[in-house]
Amino acid sequence: MKKQIPVIGIEMHCELKSKAKVFSRASNAYSEIPNSNIALLDLAFPGTLPVVNQKCVEDSLKVSLALNCTQPEYIYFDRKNYYYPDLPKGYQITQMSEPVGVNGKTEIEVNGNLKEVLIHDVHLEEDAASLDHYFDTSTIDYNRCGVPLLELVTEPCFHSAEEVLAFLEHMRRIYQYLDVSEADTKKGQIRCDVNVSIRDIDTEELGTRVEVKNVNSFSGVVDTINYEIERQTKLKEEGRYNEVEQDTRRWDEETQKTVHMRSKVDAIDYKYFVEPNIPKYKVTQEWLDKLKEEIPRLYLERKYDYINNYNLSNYDASILVKDRDIADYFEECLNLGIEAKTASNWITTQIMGYLNKEERKIKDIFLTPKRLKDLTDLISKGTISFKQAKEIFDKVLMEQKEVKEFVKEDNAQLSDKEELNQIIDEIINNSPNQVEQYHNGKTNLFDYFVGQVMKNTRGKANPVLTKEILKEKLDK
Ligand code: ADP
Ligand code: MG
C-alpha cells in the first residue's frame, strides 16, 4: 500500500464572554445551579423576540479581523431548523450565508516552524441547552441555551494531531489576548468537531472523511485524530476502505475509541432562511477601524519582538507571552526603562514563582512594574546586592510596603568609590606575590582579589564596582 497522508479539518466552538446571552437578557455567567440563568426567550415563550447582543457581534468581528478574514457588508442571521429537546424554539439562530468572517488565514508555530492555517469561516450563533442522560431518565439544563458561541471552521489543512493541537492552543491564546473568551476547556467553553481522512501520498484528491462530534478537551482531540488515522489506515490495508463511509462518530473517553453515531449519507437539509426577527445592519468601515484599534498585539508578534529586538531567548519570550497580562506587565517594565533581560528574569523566576505559589494573578500583584523598577534601580546603582533584592522582594509582597522601607543603612552596599579605592590599594600593596603571579598570566587570581575585598568589607563591597576598580588597577 502507498504511504498514507492524514488530512484533518476542525470545527471549533468557543463560548464568548459577555454579561448577557447572545439574543436574550439572561445572564451568561457560569452557574452551578441548573435552570437559573433563563429568560423567556430561551424557553421559546410565544411573543418573545431576539435582540442582538452588540458586544458579542463586536467580539466576533475582532476574531474575524485577527484571523485576516473578509468581513461581511451586513450583519444578519439565519435560522437552522431542526427539532431536539435541547432546542425549544425548534431552530438555532446562526450565520450561514454571511458569517462574520470568511477566507481567513493565521500562522501557527509547530515544533519551531511556522505553518499557515486556512480559515474557512467564523460565525456567531447560539448554544443549545445541555442534556444529561441517566439510567432511565434524562435531565435538561437551559442555562446554556442562548449562550453566545463562536464557531470557527478550518480548511482541511492539517496533517497530524500535533499540528491541530498547536492550532487549538494558538486559538485559545488569541481568544484570551482579544479578551473575548476565557477559552477554558475545563469549564466546557471549547468543543470541537474533528474531521479526519487519509489519502495516498501521490494524490491531491481527498479521502472519505469521518466526523467526530463534540470532543471537549484538547487531549481528546489528539487521541481522536490518532485513533482515526490508525483505524482508517488499517481498514485500507485490509481492503475494507469502503467501510470508512461518510460517518459521524463520537469520542468515547472510557474505551479511548471513536464509536459510530450515525451515517452521513446525505447532508441534512436544515431549511435555512434569513432570521426575520433580526433586521440586518451595515458593517461600516469606521466600525471596523474602531474594532481594529482595540485589538492588541497578539502573542506571536510579541514573541518575535522580544527575541529580535530585546535579545531574549526563545524560551523566555515564550513564557512571557503565554499570558497576555504577563506580556503587558513585561512591556510596562520596558517602558519604565528596566532592561529587558533583567525584567524577564525577575518575571519568569521570582514573580511567576510567587504567583504560582500564592495562586494569584499578575494583575493583582502588589509589586507593580513601578515597584520592580525601584528594586532593580537599587541593584544597578549598587545600593543593594541581588541577594538583598530578593529578600526585599519577599518583604514587599508580604508586608505590602514600598521598596524603600526595606533598604536600611547598615545593610546597604559599600559603593563609595573613594573608600573602595583605598581598600583595594591596600590589598594590592599587601599582596606583591599574587600581583606578580597575576601579571605573569595567572589571571584566575582575579577572584582572589575580589575575595579579599569582600573579606575586608564583610561582604558589603559593591561587586560590580569592586571588579571594575580591580581590573583597572591590576591591568594597568
Ligand atoms: P459539514 O460538517 O457541515 O458537513 P463541511 O463539509 O464544510 O461541513 O466540512 C466541515 C469540516 O470538515 C471542515 O473543517 C473541513 O475542513 C473538514 N473536511 C472536509 N473535507 C474533509 C476531508 N476530506 N478530510 C478531512 N477533513 C475534511
Ligand atoms: Mg460539521
Side-chain angles (χ1 to χ4, degrees):
M1 190 171 74
K2 283 176 189 152
K3 187 173 158 40
Q4 297 298 304
I5 303 293
V7 175
I8 306 139
I10 297 290
E11 296 158 80
M12 179 184 193
H13 302 81
C14 183
E15 289 182 0
L16 295 178
K17 219 184 236 184
S18 82
K19 286 210 184 78
K21 291 184 177 177
V22 58
F23 302 116
S24 83
R25 286 199 186 156
S27 164
N28 182 34
Y30 179 78
S31 169
E32 296 278 335
I33 307 161
N35 297 306
S36 54
N37 293 342
I38 319 177
L40 295 180
L41 180 95
D42 305 328
L43 298 179
F45 270 45
T48 52
L49 289 170
V51 175
V52 180
N53 182 332
Q54 186 74 340
K55 181 183 186 289
C56 296
V57 173
E58 297 204 331
D59 285 353
S60 311
L61 282 169
K62 280 186 198 172
V63 173
S64 164
L65 289 164
L67 296 176
N68 308 295
C69 291
T70 306
Q71 290 75 44
E73 224 185 313
Y74 291 95
I75 293 290
Y76 62 91
F77 294 86
D78 300 285
R79 270 191 197 183
K80 179 177 180 179
N81 298 284
Y82 67 97
Y83 171 75
Y84 205 67
D86 63 9
L87 191 74
K89 296 199 298 304
Y91 57 84
Q92 179 194 32
I93 305 182
T94 179
Q95 292 185 306
M96 199 270 295
S97 36
E98 293 273 5
V100 282
V102 293
N103 290 332
K105 55 173 191 280
T106 186
E107 262 187 336
I108 63 170
E109 248 186 347
V110 192
N111 269 332
N113 299 316
L114 287 175
K115 175 187 167 66
E116 185 170 78
V117 174
L118 301 175
I119 309 295
H120 180 275
D121 77 87
V122 260
H123 57 266
L124 177 61
E125 60 188 25
E126 56 181 344
D127 206 346
S130 39
L131 283 163
D132 281 306
H133 304 289
Y134 300 96
F135 173 62
D136 60 356
T137 331
S138 292
T139 58
I140 188 155
D141 176 5
Y142 288 101
N143 283 348
R144 208 178 69 188
C145 200
V147 163
L149 211 56
L150 191 67
E151 177 171 348
L152 181 161
V153 183
T154 74
E155 295 292 346
C157 58
F158 301 103
H159 301 293
S160 68
E162 192 184 20
E163 288 180 356
V164 172
L165 180 62
F167 173 71
L168 295 178
E169 280 168 352
H170 170 84
M171 283 315 305
R172 173 156 66 190
R173 205 85 64 85
I174 288 187
Y175 289 137
Q176 288 169 350
Y177 267 68
L178 294 174
D179 197 27
V180 301
S181 174
E182 287 173 86
D184 189 344
T185 40
K186 286 191 216 84
K187 291 185 188 160
Q189 292 173 339
I190 294 182
R191 278 166 280 150
C192 295
D193 297 343
V194 186
N195 299 272
V196 186
S197 65
I198 52 171
R199 64 164 164 80
D200 290 344
I201 188 162
D202 55 2
T203 167
E204 285 298 305
E205 199 183 316
L206 295 181
T208 309
R209 92 179 133 129
V210 161
E211 180 175 16
V212 185
K213 286 269 185 204
N214 271 322
V215 188
N216 57 17
S217 70
F218 289 3
S219 61
V221 171
V222 168
D223 294 341
T224 295
I225 293 169
N226 289 330
Y227 181 84
E228 270 305 309
I229 294 173
E230 204 184 308
R231 188 180 75 90
Q232 293 178 25
T233 310
K234 193 148 174 270
L235 284 174
K236 204 164 188 175
E237 255 167 23
E238 294 170 354
R240 294 160 56 202
Y241 188 60
N242 59 342
E243 288 176 34
V244 190
E245 60 194 350
Q246 292 238 347
D247 188 6
T248 299
R249 304 174 77 85
R250 64 178 176 81
W251 175 247
D252 191 80
E253 271 298 335
E254 232 157 83
T255 57
Q256 293 281 303
K257 283 180 172 153
T258 63
V259 285
H260 175 80
M261 274 169 75
R262 56 175 187 258
S263 51
K264 193 170 188 172
V265 186
D266 294 303
I268 303 167
D269 184 354
Y270 290 107
K271 300 269 188 278
Y272 282 99
F273 61 87
V274 173
E275 166 59 48
N277 288 329
I278 301 176
K280 70 175 182 180
Y281 57 102
K282 193 150 175 73
V283 179
T284 62
Q285 192 54 48
E286 294 79 55
W287 190 22
L288 290 178
D289 289 344
K290 184 197 106 188
L291 294 175
K292 265 186 215 160
E293 268 171 37
E294 291 172 18
I295 295 178
R297 287 203 306 157
L298 299 178
Y299 81 99
L300 261 190
E301 189 188 339
R302 295 195 199 202
K303 179 174 157 178
Y304 294 131
D305 181 32
Y306 301 168
I307 294 173
N308 298 329
N309 303 320
Y310 294 94
N311 275 322
L312 293 193
S313 66
N314 192 311
Y315 180 78
D316 286 343
S318 303
I319 294 180
L320 290 172
V321 301
K322 254 191 195 154
D323 177 328
R324 178 181 164 191
D325 293 333
I326 301 234
D328 285 347
Y329 184 101
F330 173 68
E331 290 179 19
E332 214 178 315
C333 290
L334 295 182
N335 288 338
L336 289 169
I338 306 180
E339 199 261 324
K341 184 75 192 151
T342 307
S344 161
N345 284 346
W346 276 97
I347 295 170
T348 55
T349 53
Q350 264 72 34
I351 294 184
M352 287 174 88
Y354 167 82
L355 295 174
N356 282 337
K357 202 173 98 218
E358 302 285 318
E359 294 186 1
R360 273 175 208 254
K361 299 237 175 303
I362 198 159
K363 270 191 169 163
D364 310 321
I365 199 169
F366 181 76
L367 191 95
T368 56
K370 174 75 190 51
R371 292 190 173 106
L372 181 62
K373 166 90 165 117
D374 292 343
L375 194 61
T376 54
D377 274 355
L378 289 170
I379 304 175
S380 51
K381 271 192 257 152
T383 314
I384 56 171
S385 68
F386 181 67
K387 189 164 159 277
Q388 288 170 324
K390 283 204 286 193
E391 285 161 18
I392 294 178
F393 172 90
D394 290 337
K395 287 183 192 158
V396 167
L397 287 169
M398 184 104 77
E399 299 182 31
Q400 313 243 314
K401 285 189 195 144
E402 293 304 325
V403 170
K404 63 175 194 297
E405 306 281 333
F406 301 103
V407 189
K408 298 197 198 72
E409 283 302 317
D410 64 331
N411 66 18
Q413 271 187 4
L414 172 53
S415 301
D416 187 72
K417 213 167 172 184
E418 277 303 295
E419 209 179 327
L420 274 175
N421 260 322
Q422 264 181 27
I423 293 169
I424 289 172
D425 279 341
E426 205 173 299
I427 289 170
I428 288 181
N429 287 335
N430 290 337
S431 332
N433 287 342
Q434 284 84 350
V435 173
E436 198 187 321
Q437 287 176 28
Y438 179 83
H439 284 147
N440 288 338
K442 208 166 169 204
T443 47
N444 55 3
L445 272 173
F446 191 78
D447 292 336
Y448 162 81
F449 290 104
V450 177
Q452 287 299 303
V453 179
M454 289 302 167
K455 207 170 141 197
N456 256 278
T457 58
R458 278 176 294 127
K460 282 186 194 154
N462 174 336
V464 179
L465 205 55
T466 300
K467 284 179 191 163
E468 234 175 72
I469 300 174
L470 269 172
K471 259 220 143 26
E472 198 184 293
K473 291 188 188 290
L474 287 170
D475 290 352
K476 77 172 172 210

